[in-house]
Amino acid sequence: MTLQFFDFPAARDDLRADVLAGLAAQPKAIPPKYFYDEAGCRLFAAICAQPEYVLCRTERALMEQHLPEIAAAIGAVDCVIEPGAGDCLKVRALLGALHPDQLVVLDIAGAPLAAAAELLANDYPGVAVTALGMDFIHNLEAAAPYLTADRRLVYYPGSSIGNFAPADAAALLARFRQLAGEAGQLLIGFDLKKDPAQLHQAYNDGAGVTAAFNLNLLARLNRELDANFDLSQFRHYAFYNLIAGRIEMHLVSLVEQTVSVAGQRFHFNLGEALHTENSYKFRSDEFSAIAASAGWKLIRGWEREGFAVQLYG
Ligand SMILES: C[S@@+](CC[C@H](N)C(=O)[O-])C[C@H]1O[C@@H](n2cnc3c(N)ncnc32)[C@H](O)[C@@H]1O
């Protein structure tokens, strides 16, 4: 097995600055990348298993159903790059079908990524696995020196692109294009616009796992930034904003309160929201226009039950 792991701890320094700036802003907001400490990664995996959160299962089923066609459309590839790879489960199907020489996985949650990459390297001894613990919003370009192979495929599943507003999504896709190179390709999965009631259910599961995931952000700030959030005084609140075409997740203050974070004090009014995540939904053509503005040309697309996977070159 070949496995290399490199950690870029610079990402950790951003937490303090981003959280203090986000809590001082109006409305208050914290970037969703900070959900993913070790507990956050575990809770995200649990969300994927909830009956209401069909996105992960639908994407897996779509990939299983169309894998031979997808692999044929991609053709020969030397290197697969997955930003935000998490537990590295989804990329396994592609490794089996494409047989690249190299896999480069990136995630802001360095320790869980290292553990997942080790399992992967054991199971795919023919693939050189490089795991980079980094914030790709800051550091994507730092991955370039680790790419040894030429024909590159960026794989970005899970509708993670939905966390970015369209202009930011286009900017990120343009950076993926730079990393992939002129002959590079992009295989990307995203959630399609659908009945808002179905979306509402997906982000408000009956077992309260999405709520626990959202509230875990405050537990993380208590631990890592010496904050004193009382989790029982905040409530998970997720809804589909039809005009903006996105699910919004918030933590709503149930009382008027003042919270201390890293030595600074922040006032919350009763009912005030801390915005923690957007999850944009797209029509296929809407998404292709965003990708086109980043220099990607659509090669082919596949759809199943409200989810789409598209291949760009
Ligand atoms: C929604 S999960 C998706 C995981 C996996 N790709 C999947 O589809 O199941 C998002 C993943 O991206 C990672 N992530 C989010 N923002 C990131 C960033 N700025 N840099 C690196 N990783 C990030 C998280 O830690 C998490 O593992």
Side-chain angles (χ1 to χ4, degrees):
M1 106 174 174
T2 323
L3 171 65
Q4 290 184 297
F5 173 67
F6 301 97
D7 204 18
F8 294 75
R12 282 197 281 279
D13 300 333
D14 297 331
L15 175 72
R16 184 176 187 281
D18 288 351
V19 166
L20 292 180
L23 290 175
Q26 270 312 322
K28 293 179 171 66
I30 294 180
K33 64 185 179 185
Y34 294 122
F35 279 135
Y36 297 96
D37 63 352
E38 295 202 30
C41 291
R42 275 196 304 277
L43 284 163
F44 177 73
I47 288 173
C48 289
Q50 295 313 300
E52 298 91 340
Y53 196 77
V54 291
L55 189 153
C56 290
R57 282 186 297 282
T58 307
E59 183 174 33
R60 200 173 319 121
L62 184 156
M63 291 298 290
E64 268 168 31
Q65 181 186 354
H66 296 289
L67 191 59
E69 287 161 52
I70 292 174
I74 293 169
V77 156
D78 304 309
C79 172
V80 174
I81 306 155
E82 185 181 355
D87 56 16
C88 299
L89 290 181
K90 286 186 185 156
V91 76
R92 285 171 173 256
L94 275 187
L95 295 184
L98 297 175
H99 307 289
D101 301 326
Q102 191 190 21
L103 170 69
V104 180
V105 284
L106 280 60
D107 205 286
I108 197 166
L113 177 73
E118 189 173 349
L119 294 176
L120 203 61
N122 273 321
D123 291 346
Y124 296 86
V127 182
V129 178
T130 305
L132 305 176
M134 64 155 65
D135 175 350
F136 62 71
I137 298 173
H138 272 274
N139 269 335
L140 183 67
E141 291 66 27
Y146 297 94
L147 308 179
T148 55
D150 271 347
R151 289 170 299 186
R152 296 171 183 167
L153 172 77
V154 175
Y155 180 45
Y156 199 44
S159 207
S160 292
I161 194 66
N163 287 155
F164 299 88
D168 295 334
L172 183 63
L173 294 180
R175 291 167 76 196
F176 287 173
R177 179 125 193 90
Q178 281 291 114
L179 196 68
E182 264 310 295
Q185 293 178 299
L186 168 72
L187 185 69
I188 188 159
F190 58 90
D191 210 8
L192 291 164
K193 284 189 168 142
K194 52 177 71 73
D195 179 357
Q198 195 184 335
L199 289 168
H200 182 87
Q201 275 198 333
Y203 290 81
N204 291 282
D205 60 89
V209 182
T210 308
F213 174 75
N214 200 4
L215 283 160
N216 177 62
L217 177 64
L218 302 184
R220 177 177 189 186
L221 302 187
N222 284 350
R223 208 175 45 248
E224 295 187 29
L225 293 182
D226 197 20
N228 64 351
F229 285 100
D230 177 349
L231 273 58
S232 69
Q233 301 296 354
F234 288 87
R235 177 160 302 145
H236 164 73
Y237 187 72
F239 66 97
Y240 186 62
N241 178 336
L242 200 69
I243 308 300
R246 67 188 189 209
I247 286 281
E248 293 186 18
M249 288 216 310
H250 298 263
L251 289 164
V252 180
S253 180
L254 299 179
V255 292
E256 184 173 355
Q257 54 185 319
T258 298
V259 178
S260 155
V261 182
Q264 296 191 25
R265 290 166 70 75
F266 297 94
H267 183 80
F268 283 85
N269 288 314
L270 168 63
E272 186 176 349
L274 168 60
H275 191 172
T276 52
E277 188 181 65
N278 287 324
S279 186
Y280 283 82
K281 312 298 167 186
F282 308 93
R283 288 192 324 267
S284 270
D285 60 313
E286 249 174 4
F287 189 81
S288 301
I290 293 171
S293 74
W296 290 105
K297 288 194 190 64
L298 181 65
I299 297 174
R300 252 195 94 169
W302 296 265
E303 285 185 17
R304 181 177 170 137
E305 293 158 20
F307 194 85
V309 169
Q310 292 184 340
L311 176 66
Y312 289 89

